[in-house]
Amino acid sequence: MLLRMLHSVTRSQKYEDGIKWKFLEHKGPYFPPEYQPLPDNVKFFYDGKAVKLSLAAEEVALFFAQMLDHEYTTKEVFRNNFLKDWRKEMTLEERMLITDLNKCDFGELHAMHKQKVEARKNLSKEEKQINKEANQKILEEFGYCMLDHHRERIGNFKIEPPGLFRGRGDHPKQGMLKKRIQPEDVIINCSRNSHIPEPPTGHKWKEVRHDNTVTWLASWTENVQGSCKYVMLNANSKLKGEKDWEKYEVARKLKSCVDAIRSQYQEDLKSKQMGTRQRAVALYFIDKLALRAGNEKEEGETADTVGCCSLRVEHITLHDALDGETCVVEFDFLGKDCIRYYNKVPVSKRVFKNLKLFMENKQEGDDLFDRLNTNMLNKHLTSLMPGLTAKVFRTYNASITLQQQLKGLTSDNVAEKLLSYNRANRAVAVLCNHQRAPPKTFEQSMASLQAKIESRKEQLELAKKELKLAKKEAKGSSDSKLLKKTVQRCEEQLLKMEVQATDREENKQIALSTSKLNYLDPRISVAWCKNMEVPLDKVYNKTLRDKFAWAIDMTEPDFVF
DNA sequence: GATACTACTTAGAATTATTAAA
DNA sequence: TTTAATAATTCTAAGTAGTATC
């Protein structure tokens, strides 16, 4: 694998163009269990009266009941969408009766669900072991496929169970019913000469095809957004690994021509063509601020989020002067997953002047870059460097930032080294705007760590005093030697905890995992660990070590991104 | 060149497993 | 041994970007 990779620096395909495999065999996806009807003693009430629902309506009612503790169920849009879709599952009679969600009492259903969760938690060790083994068996049977003589782990071999759609942010479709997928909805993709997967008894597949220009094993169309879902390989598979490696090689190639590209867009800021100037400013944002490309989206189908090319005039505010700086652009918009991007950035006079011009005679709702879209931008980028698209800048800037931040760090303590690594990782996460909701128990866990630090400090003081005393009495006695060790151990533990506290505080709202998993060339981290004599598993968990096996194999300590 | 469709990567939340503390 | 905290893993939504179709 390594040799083949080295031989084809940017094209890892071992087959002719577009062919992804020669042989693919699998068991098909695993379907979730059938709906289990409610026991007779658990009742749904409408307008104070018990109502026995039909099976289909009951199942959907339970989806809602299970979510009652969630904020979603308080939202107007969610409730309306739910009621509308729920009524579609009802019998005529039920539909006549149930018209107002506020008159629905899901209390007993909700209680039953909570009880079930609790019961599962309280299962005995043996029972849990039995469940575990059963899951293992399912994984063994459905979780793997044969792809070109290799047994590969499948990423998502389980069909998504039915439920209520949970969009992010203000999603217009939140609360809609996500329907149960039947084998009749599923397309199977595999080799003609493989053992074709059997559909569950009494069912047929929608289609069995043999398309080796794609990597998916099965697909179905999801009913809420009408988009396609795929069963694909796990990240640790050869196919995914090669693609990942290729991604980082393209980003490294950008490193060698980024200076030229930057000069070019600086030059383009002066262009007579409005379109060219817009492209230049957009590229400047993408490069400097690591913004996403920003494809257009269908209005009203999803939450209102934007990326670079889809920014609207209301998303930026121009300040001739702000906080002692001139030409400041204030960004405030919702990006992917409705994560807010807020930033105040001083820019060059030329960029600023262009932005003012782009905003002229426009009103709220108008595109900032009205002469530009992601397609045009990427066409331009690909002409500057093969394989270059907007998202490569994120990969490049993330990885180069990590490498720079890690340079010249010195410490002999592993905990301190790890803090430095996490800080470098954090710089990248900030750049890419990878945020998370602060953990629910954050304040509490911070306080308990602080308390531990205090008690350890006291312990250390005490140990120090005792040592002093012991030294006075008899130099070099076994007693004082022992105490010396205690003091040392205390100091180490204290340092470790203090470092941990700093790390955690700084990490409150920042998610490190996304950049680690998707943006940072793993060879930088592997080489750093080797150079700094930090065990790799301090930085990468099992999943990451698996995913980045290719990098762990090939990286020498002198690797430079 | 608009736009619909397809295939794939990237994303944070939710769930589950593991470890540490009580 | 039990419980609570933390870490790992799973889940699936939401992006990017290429191609097909008009």
Side-chain angles (χ1 to χ4, degrees), chain A residues 373-391:
Chain A
N373 61 39
T374 53
N375 209 306
M376 296 156 75
L377 180 67
N378 282 335
K379 280 242 171 74
H380 172 66
L381 289 174
T382 309
S383 79
L384 299 179
M385 185 195 105
L388 186 61
T389 60
K391 85 185 187 97

Side-chain angles (χ1 to χ4, degrees), chain A residues 7 22 85 117 253 330 365 418:
Chain A
H7 280 143
K22 292 272 153 130
D85 276 5
V117 170
K253 219 166 79 191
E330 184 181 2
L418 282 169

Side-chain angles (χ1 to χ4, degrees), chain A residues 31-69:
Chain A
F31 287 85
E34 299 269 302
Y35 174 63
Q36 299 296 317
L38 292 179
D40 288 336
N41 62 337
V42 178
K43 291 191 173 73
F44 164 76
F45 296 90
Y46 187 75
D47 209 7
K49 290 189 276 291
V51 177
K52 175 75 189 159
L53 295 168
S54 64
L55 206 64
E58 185 187 280
E59 181 179 12
V60 179
L62 191 56
F63 293 153
F64 190 84
Q66 286 172 344
M67 285 183 76
L68 274 177
D69 287 334

Side-chain angles (χ1 to χ4, degrees), chain A residues 258-271 276-277 279-281 283-285 287-288 347-351 354:
Chain A
V258 74
D259 289 339
I261 290 172
R262 283 172 178 160
S263 322
Q264 160 106 68
Y265 70 64
Q266 288 298 341
E267 212 41 49
D268 285 345
L269 290 172
K270 299 183 255 177
S271 169
T276 306
R277 289 206 310 280
R279 193 181 68 199
V281 173
L283 202 40
Y284 170 85
F285 286 166
D287 183 22
K288 179 165 178 166
V347 301
S348 67
K349 278 216 173 68
R350 195 160 277 142
V351 168
N354 269 312

Side-chain angles (χ1 to χ4, degrees), chain A residues 209-342:
Chain A
R209 66 172 75 159
H210 312 287
D211 183 355
N212 68 355
T213 68
V214 296
T215 65
W216 54 269
L217 320 190
S219 72
W220 71 89
T221 302
E222 159 271 340
N223 69 290
V224 175
Q225 321 225 53
S227 64
C228 212
K229 299 266 188 171
Y230 300 93
V231 171
M232 289 199 190
L233 294 177
N234 189 277
N236 67 9
S237 62
K238 222 167 125 247
L239 208 63
K240 292 271 190 194
E242 285 174 357
K243 196 84 188 297
D244 207 35
W245 170 79
E246 206 174 285
K247 174 180 82 183
Y248 291 113
E249 286 305 291
V250 172
R252 287 176 86 195
K253 219 166 79 191
L254 173 56
K255 186 189 173 186
S256 67
C257 59
V258 74
D259 289 339
I261 290 172
R262 283 172 178 160
S263 322
Q264 160 106 68
Y265 70 64
Q266 288 298 341
E267 212 41 49
D268 285 345
L269 290 172
K270 299 183 255 177
S271 169
K272 286 202 182 73
Q273 297 286 321
M274 175 72 117
T276 306
R277 289 206 310 280
Q278 290 195 355
R279 193 181 68 199
V281 173
L283 202 40
Y284 170 85
F285 286 166
I286 285 169
D287 183 22
K288 179 165 178 166
L289 306 174
L291 299 193
R292 295 188 184 82
N295 285 321
E296 297 117 295
K297 338 200 289 178
E298 219 177 327
E299 216 175 319
E301 294 293 298
T302 61
D304 179 18
T305 61
V306 296
C308 185
C309 293
S310 50
L311 281 169
R312 300 192 301 264
V313 291
E314 66 265 33
H315 296 134
I316 64 167
T317 312
L318 301 178
H319 302 276
D320 293 316
L322 184 73
D323 305 332
E325 291 182 292
T326 56
C327 298
V328 177
V329 185
E330 184 181 2
F331 292 83
D332 193 353
F333 62 89
L334 296 181
K336 182 177 179 179
D337 291 310
C338 287
I339 298 295
R340 184 180 181 203
Y341 184 91
Y342 184 80

Side-chain angles (χ1 to χ4, degrees), chain A residues 393-403 428 431-432 519-520:
Chain A
F393 280 87
R394 262 167 89 82
T395 312
Y396 161 72
N397 278 310
S399 288
I400 203 79
T401 300
L402 180 75
Q403 186 166 81
V428 175
L431 177 72
C432 294
Y519 288 103
L520 300 174

Side-chain angles (χ1 to χ4, degrees), chain A residues 344-452:
Chain A
K344 286 183 272 195
V345 191
V347 301
S348 67
K349 278 216 173 68
R350 195 160 277 142
V351 168
F352 198 76
K353 220 178 105 192
N354 269 312
L355 285 170
K356 270 195 170 169
L357 206 69
F358 302 161
M359 307 259 275
E360 254 174 32
N361 301 318
K362 285 186 189 170
Q363 45 182 319
E364 202 176 302
D366 289 346
D367 285 340
L368 176 64
F369 302 116
D370 53 305
R371 307 273 176 93
L372 182 71
N373 61 39
T374 53
N375 209 306
M376 296 156 75
L377 180 67
N378 282 335
K379 280 242 171 74
H380 172 66
L381 289 174
T382 309
S383 79
L384 299 179
M385 185 195 105
L388 186 61
T389 60
K391 85 185 187 97
V392 179
F393 280 87
R394 262 167 89 82
T395 312
Y396 161 72
N397 278 310
S399 288
I400 203 79
T401 300
L402 180 75
Q403 186 166 81
Q404 279 162 358
Q405 297 270 324
L406 288 177
K407 217 179 348 186
L409 293 177
T410 47
S411 168
D412 50 341
N413 179 291
V414 176
E416 283 181 5
K417 287 180 196 173
L418 282 169
L419 175 64
S420 308
Y421 180 89
N422 284 343
R423 280 192 164 147
N425 191 167
R426 199 140 49 227
V428 175
V430 168
L431 177 72
C432 294
N433 201 36
H434 291 145
Q435 299 187 30
R436 60 166 185 177
K440 284 200 178 75
T441 54
F442 185 83
E443 297 305 331
Q444 194 186 329
S445 92
M446 223 40 218
S448 85
L449 184 58
Q450 212 53 56
K452 266 199 285 186

Side-chain angles (χ1 to χ4, degrees), chain A residues 476-494:
Chain A
S477 77
S478 62
D479 227 30
S480 79
K481 268 185 193 163
L482 209 72
L483 278 166
K484 218 172 178 175
K485 263 199 171 157
T486 311
V487 169
Q488 206 182 357
R489 211 183 50 226
C490 263
E491 279 174 338
E492 270 171 26
Q493 285 174 337
L494 187 62

